[in-house]
Amino acid sequence: MLHPDPSPSVWAGPPRLVSSGPVRPANTTVGQRSKKRNGNSGEKKRRRSWRRCGGVDMLSDRAAQMREALVKSQSITDNMVSILGSFDHRLSALETAMRPTQIRTHAIRRAHENIDKTLKAAEVILSQFDLSRQAEAKILKGPHEDLESYLQAIDQLRNNIQFFSNNKSFKSSDGVLNHTNTLLAKAISKLEEEFKQLLSSYSKAVEPERLFECLPNSMRPSGSPGDSSGKIPSSHSHSDHNNTTENSVYTTPTLIPPRILPLLHDLALQMVQAGNQQQLQRIYRDIRSPVLEESLRKLGVEKLSKDDVQKMQWEVLEAKIGNWIHFMRIAVKLLFAGERKVCDQIFEGFDSLMDQCFAEVTAGSVAVLLSFGDAIAKSKRSPEKLFVLLDMYEIMRELHSEIEALFRGKACNEIRESALGLTKRLAQTAQETFGDFEEAVEKDATKTAVADGTVHPLTSYVINYVKFLFDYQSTLKQLFQEFETRDDSTSQLAVVTMRIMQALQTNLDGKSKQYRDTSLTHLFLMNNIHYMVRSVRRSEAKDLLGDDWVQRHRRVVQQHANQYKRIAWAKILQCLSVQGLTSSGGGSSVSADGGNSSGVSRAIIKDRLKTFNIQFEELHQKQSQWTVPDTELRESLRLAVAEVLLPAYRSFIKRFGLQTENTEPWLCCISKFVMAKNGYENNVILLEPLVENGKNPQKYIRYTPEDLEHMLGEFFEGKTLNEPKR
């Protein structure tokens, strides 16, 4: 039967179908089963009869049974609800009874957790004590044997201090902190000693030979391997030297072994962390600074004052300036660069400390080097100092970018400013010296004149000076840009060069007036201006001064040559002139006064020839001592004189009956006598009766045109008085 749950709140599941039919017993025997089979047939008949007659009654019975089952189910449900209600009451009572027990259990669990935490905290504290004891043992042993372990022990002490500082509730934390701080202070003190000892052991002055090996081959000093004079090889010209330095490779020397630098870095790091930065700076400066200064002293650097510089002879000072330029290059590119490398590695991570230590180490050495340059810049100016000033200015310009890179940072400001200040002072002094030179050239009061009219020492000095200046073109352009607002520094150099050349010409004009012989005056000016023109044409000055300057001064040279020729040979050419020799009338008979029919006076002819001989010999003796040093100019001048003198001489002899070559034999003895007496036997000269009829004809006709030409070839050779004829 189906038994629906009467309770509205409890559902027992779907209704079950309960059968009220007969149930076969579980333990039915075989006989019973046989009887049953026999009775089944009757039962089937009854059922068929029931189906036909009592089906309705059966359904009624089944319904009644179902109602009875529902009632029973309701009764059971009510009983279960009652039982469950009693359970709820009992559970509430049980919970009330268990609450104190739960509270006690929770308290016990909390206590257990607290005990665990306490044990763990105690374990941590005990481990800190254990680590502290281990660190203390390493600290007491010192850093010398095992520096790495020593540094680890210091780190552990710092960790312990941090731990107990964060755990002030621990009863003995103050005592532990005091003990650990004391131990850490001792450890840092030993660390300072170790840093000092380690840095000092590996800080040695660099020998000059080692530094020279770090230079490019072209920059290494000449001489023996042990020569530490530090002089730049003299075979290098300024321009070659510039080209060399542009492509040079310098090898930074190793000042401290690379394996030591990490150890020094670790020691420095610990000292900085301990707050001992000032002690670290002092130790580093006191050790490294004297070593750097000693390296420079071994190289040859001297500490010289302005007074020392003023007292030096120029040759000595010039050599020291050359060495200073070399020392500056070695100091900046090798020693300071190496020192910066060491400083950067030891103090890596502490930029301000790094810059400060480098500045303190190098300050003394930089001051010594710059003080010498400053003394030169402030010393008395003189023209010969211009080139060394330009060399010094040039090296400071060359090193400017490296100085800026090495001496970076606020701590190095003073050093950078000192270097820049020296560069500007050198530029200022060089420019002033340049101006002084121009003025000195114009006002040079040298009274000693060159007796032979050759190129004056001042001219060669000034021209060489200007030629040297052109080796410094780029430097001079930079120098002009320091003080000029205009961008065209090339035109400024041209203007200055022209002013110097003009000053030289002005001075030469004054010096030329010292000569009593005006012809020598023009020869002197011709020689000197020609030397100027030739030198300009063969140098870079031509591009700067221009062809116009060259052509203009070539014309000046020609003008002075013409003036010399006119003045020096005017009187002697007058002897060969026909003016004053003839009188009116004709015929060829000899007059009573010794003249011929043409009216020419024999006495005047003789006097003219005698005067010619005397003047020519005087000119030969004097002008063979004069000098025209340029071969081309000398030959050109001789040719110009010969082109005037020889035709006039030939014409004079021919016009007045003097003959050569095929003259009558009876006159040969006279010619040989004349030539033998004068030392010229190149040609035969025979006298026409106009002169021959007189006494001593050799007194009047001494030279053939060929003899004169030969003697002209001895002019301007600069011979001495006692020098024999060619």
Side-chain angles (χ1 to χ4, degrees):
M1 294 181 62
L2 296 172
H3 300 282
D5 188 355
S7 174
S9 61
V10 178
W11 186 58
R16 294 177 296 168
L17 181 62
V18 179
S19 176
S20 60
V23 179
R24 187 178 64 184
N27 298 325
T28 304
T29 64
V30 176
Q32 290 173 337
R33 286 195 297 272
S34 175
K35 289 180 181 180
K36 186 174 181 181
R37 282 193 303 268
N38 293 332
N40 280 342
S41 61
E43 182 65 25
K44 290 179 181 179
K45 293 178 181 180
R46 284 196 297 273
R47 285 179 181 176
R48 285 194 296 268
S49 176
W50 179 80
R51 288 191 184 106
R52 288 193 302 266
C53 299
V56 176
D57 294 335
M58 182 61 69
L59 290 173
S60 298
D61 291 341
R62 295 282 179 89
Q65 290 176 358
M66 289 177 68
R67 282 194 297 272
E68 183 180 355
L70 287 172
V71 171
K72 288 181 180 180
S73 176
Q74 182 65 43
S75 175
I76 292 170
T77 299
D78 291 340
N79 290 336
M80 288 300 296
V81 169
S82 176
I83 291 170
L84 290 173
S86 66
F87 280 163
D88 183 57
H89 177 72
R90 290 176 183 176
L91 287 174
S92 297
L94 181 61
E95 183 179 356
T96 301
M98 289 293 293
R99 189 174 300 278
T101 303
Q102 290 175 345
I103 293 173
R104 286 195 299 274
T105 302
H106 182 67
I108 292 170
R109 187 167 58 251
R110 290 280 302 275
H112 182 70
E113 290 175 354
N114 289 336
I115 290 171
D116 286 342
K117 290 180 180 179
T118 302
L119 290 175
K120 288 180 180 179
E123 184 179 354
V124 171
I125 292 172
L126 290 175
S127 67
Q128 290 295 325
F129 275 109
D130 185 50
L131 292 172
S132 181
R133 282 195 299 271
Q134 294 176 9
E136 184 174 2
K138 293 178 181 179
I139 295 300
L140 295 176
K141 189 181 293 185
H144 192 66
E145 293 182 3
D146 189 354
L147 179 59
E148 187 176 354
S149 297
Y150 190 86
L151 296 176
Q152 291 175 355
I154 291 178
D155 288 336
Q156 185 57 54
L157 289 180
R158 288 201 176 95
N159 292 335
N160 289 349
I161 291 172
Q162 183 67 31
F163 175 81
F164 287 109
S165 297
N166 294 334
N167 293 276
K168 289 284 188 178
S169 59
F170 179 60
K171 184 178 180 181
S172 302
S173 60
D174 290 339
V176 172
L177 283 173
N178 290 335
H179 176 72
T180 306
N181 281 322
T182 302
L183 186 61
L184 181 61
K186 291 180 180 179
I188 295 300
S189 178
K190 290 183 178 181
L191 209 60
E192 287 182 12
E193 290 299 320
E194 180 66 15
F195 180 84
K196 184 176 181 179
Q197 190 275 332
L198 191 62
L199 183 63
S200 179
S201 298
Y202 290 97
S203 293
K204 305 297 180 184
V206 185
E207 296 297 327
E209 289 78 9
R210 275 192 60 204
L211 291 173
F212 296 153
E213 289 172 0
C214 297
L215 293 171
N217 291 333
S218 59
M219 297 294 296
R220 294 177 186 177
S222 58
S224 62
D227 180 13
S228 60
S229 62
K231 293 182 180 178
I232 299 175
S234 58
S235 59
H236 288 275
S237 68
H238 177 265
S239 57
D240 291 340
H241 179 67
N242 279 348
N243 294 334
T244 301
T245 54
E246 288 176 1
N247 302 317
S248 298
V249 177
Y250 294 79
T251 305
T252 305
T254 301
L255 303 183
I256 293 179
R259 62 184 179 84
I260 302 300
L261 292 174
L263 299 178
L264 291 170
H265 169 70
D266 293 340
L267 292 170
L269 178 62
Q270 293 291 346
M271 293 175 67
V272 172
Q273 290 178 351
N276 292 19
Q277 183 169 319
Q278 290 185 349
Q279 295 94 312
L280 177 62
Q281 286 180 223
R282 176 182 53 79
I283 292 171
Y284 189 81
R285 179 197 63 218
D286 292 347
I287 292 175
R288 291 301 304 166
S289 183
V291 170
L292 180 59
E293 291 174 4
E294 179 64 19
S295 297
L296 289 173
R297 274 195 296 272
K298 287 189 173 187
L299 189 63
V301 175
E302 301 175 83
K303 189 173 184 179
L304 298 172
S305 65
K306 182 180 177 181
D307 292 336
D308 295 331
V309 170
Q310 293 284 26
K311 294 175 183 177
M312 285 184 187
Q313 295 293 329
W314 167 242
E315 293 77 10
V316 176
L317 183 59
E318 186 178 23
K320 288 190 178 295
I321 291 172
N323 286 342
W324 178 85
I325 291 169
H326 199 37
F327 297 155
M328 278 296 296
R329 190 175 283 111
I330 289 177
V332 173
K333 291 180 178 289
L334 299 182
L335 287 174
F336 294 161
E339 196 64 49
R340 184 78 207 196
K341 187 176 180 181
V342 168
C343 204
D344 288 355
Q345 292 186 44
I346 292 178
F347 301 106
E348 184 181 1
F350 304 98
D351 291 345
S352 60
L353 178 61
M354 182 191 303
D355 295 338
Q356 185 66 40
C357 287
F358 180 71
E360 291 181 4
V361 167
T362 56
S365 299
V366 171
V368 170
L369 288 166
L370 297 185
S371 65
F372 178 80
D374 202 55
I376 298 296
K378 293 178 180 178
S379 64
K380 185 179 179 181
R381 299 193 302 271
S382 60
E384 64 269 14
K385 286 184 180 178
L386 177 59
F387 298 107
V388 295
L389 286 168
L390 291 175
D391 286 333
M392 295 172 74
Y393 172 74
E394 204 169 61
I395 190 62
M396 293 304 296
R397 290 283 303 180
E398 176 190 327
L399 299 175
H400 174 73
S401 59
E402 289 172 88
I403 290 174
E404 290 289 316
L406 290 174
F407 296 93
R408 59 183 180 271
K410 185 177 180 180
C412 299
N413 277 348
E414 186 175 347
I415 294 176
R416 290 198 308 273
E417 290 173 359
S418 297
L420 183 60
L422 175 59
T423 305
K424 290 183 176 180
R425 279 191 295 278
L426 289 169
Q428 180 70 38
T429 306
Q431 190 186 47
E432 292 171 355
T433 304
F434 209 173
D436 293 346
F437 177 70
E438 179 186 341
E439 184 178 354
V441 169
E442 186 170 0
K443 296 181 178 180
D444 178 73
T446 305
K447 296 298 182 182
T448 305
V450 286
D452 58 355
T454 189
V455 176
H456 197 279
L458 176 66
T459 304
S460 57
Y461 176 74
V462 172
I463 293 301
N464 287 335
Y465 204 92
V466 171
K467 285 165 69 176
F468 275 122
L469 284 177
F470 281 94
D471 286 340
Y472 292 85
Q473 275 196 73
S474 59
T475 305
L476 287 169
K477 289 175 183 177
Q478 290 176 347
L479 188 144
F480 289 135
Q481 288 173 358
E482 293 270 1
F483 304 99
E484 298 290 336
T485 56
R486 294 180 299 176
D487 294 333
D488 193 1
S489 55
T490 301
S491 63
Q492 178 69 9
L493 180 58
V495 169
V496 172
T497 305
M498 286 183 180
R499 286 208 307 260
I500 291 175
M501 302 296 261
Q502 184 57 49
L504 175 60
Q505 282 185 256
T506 302
N507 188 280
L508 291 173
D509 287 339
K511 284 180 168 46
S512 69
K513 292 179 173 59
Q514 298 176 14
Y515 297 106
R516 294 180 180 179
D517 191 332
T518 311
S519 61
L520 184 56
T521 295
H522 290 286
L523 187 77
F524 170 78
L525 291 173
M526 177 197 72
N527 277 330
N528 283 268
I529 297 175
H530 178 268
Y531 181 82
M532 293 168 60
V533 172
R534 186 190 63 176
S535 299
V536 168
R537 289 179 61 194
R538 296 178 179 179
S539 71
E540 296 180 43
K542 180 182 178 182
D543 296 331
L544 200 63
L545 299 178
D547 288 333
D548 181 65
W549 186 94
V550 172
Q551 295 302 325
R552 187 168 66 252
H553 285 78
R554 288 182 70 178
R555 289 194 292 271
V556 173
V557 172
Q558 188 60 48
Q559 289 170 7
H560 285 298
N562 293 337
Q563 287 291 89
Y564 153 79
K565 186 174 63 174
R566 183 184 63 81
I567 296 172
W569 296 93
K571 288 179 65 177
I572 196 170
L573 289 173
Q574 188 65 34
C575 295
L576 302 177
S577 173
V578 296
Q579 294 180 0
L581 293 180
T582 59
S583 59
S584 59
S588 59
S589 61
V590 178
S591 63
D593 64 352
N596 60 12
S597 59
S598 63
V600 176
S601 171
R602 179 177 305 190
I604 295 176
I605 294 294
K606 289 181 179 181
D607 185 63
R608 290 282 187 92
L609 289 172
K610 183 178 179 181
T611 304
F612 174 86
N613 292 334
I614 293 172
Q615 290 184 0
F616 184 79
E617 287 168 2
E618 287 178 354
L619 287 174
H620 177 264
Q621 182 181 8
K622 182 168 58 176
Q623 296 197 23
S624 62
Q625 298 176 47
W626 293 358
T627 303
V628 177
D630 184 77
T631 304
E632 184 179 349
L633 181 62
R634 182 170 63 246
E635 293 301 327
S636 174
L637 192 60
R638 289 171 179 169
L639 180 61
V641 172
E643 286 176 348
V644 175
L645 179 65
L646 296 182
Y649 187 72
R650 287 190 180 97
S651 176
F652 188 84
I653 293 174
K654 183 178 180 181
R655 181 160 187 165
F656 296 104
L658 297 173
Q659 300 177 3
T660 60
E661 303 292 341
N662 299 322
T663 309
E664 294 297 328
W666 60 274
L667 292 175
C668 290
C669 59
I670 300 177
S671 69
K672 291 181 180 179
F673 174 77
V674 173
M675 300 310 296
K677 183 176 180 180
N678 290 280
Y680 297 98
E681 302 186 62
N682 298 331
N683 293 287
V684 177
I685 184 165
L686 299 178
L687 305 180
E688 195 258 340
L690 184 64
V691 179
E692 186 273 334
N693 289 338
K695 297 179 180 180
N696 300 321
Q698 67 274 12
K699 290 171 53 178
Y700 310 110
I701 306 297
R702 294 184 180 179
Y703 309 106
T704 67
E706 290 74 15
D707 293 330
L708 295 181
E709 185 176 5
H710 180 79
M711 293 175 73
L712 283 175
E714 296 176 347
F715 278 44
F716 318 126
E717 290 285 351
K719 292 183 178 182
T720 59
L721 287 175
N722 297 325
E723 189 174 347
K725 296 179 181 179
R726 294 192 305 180

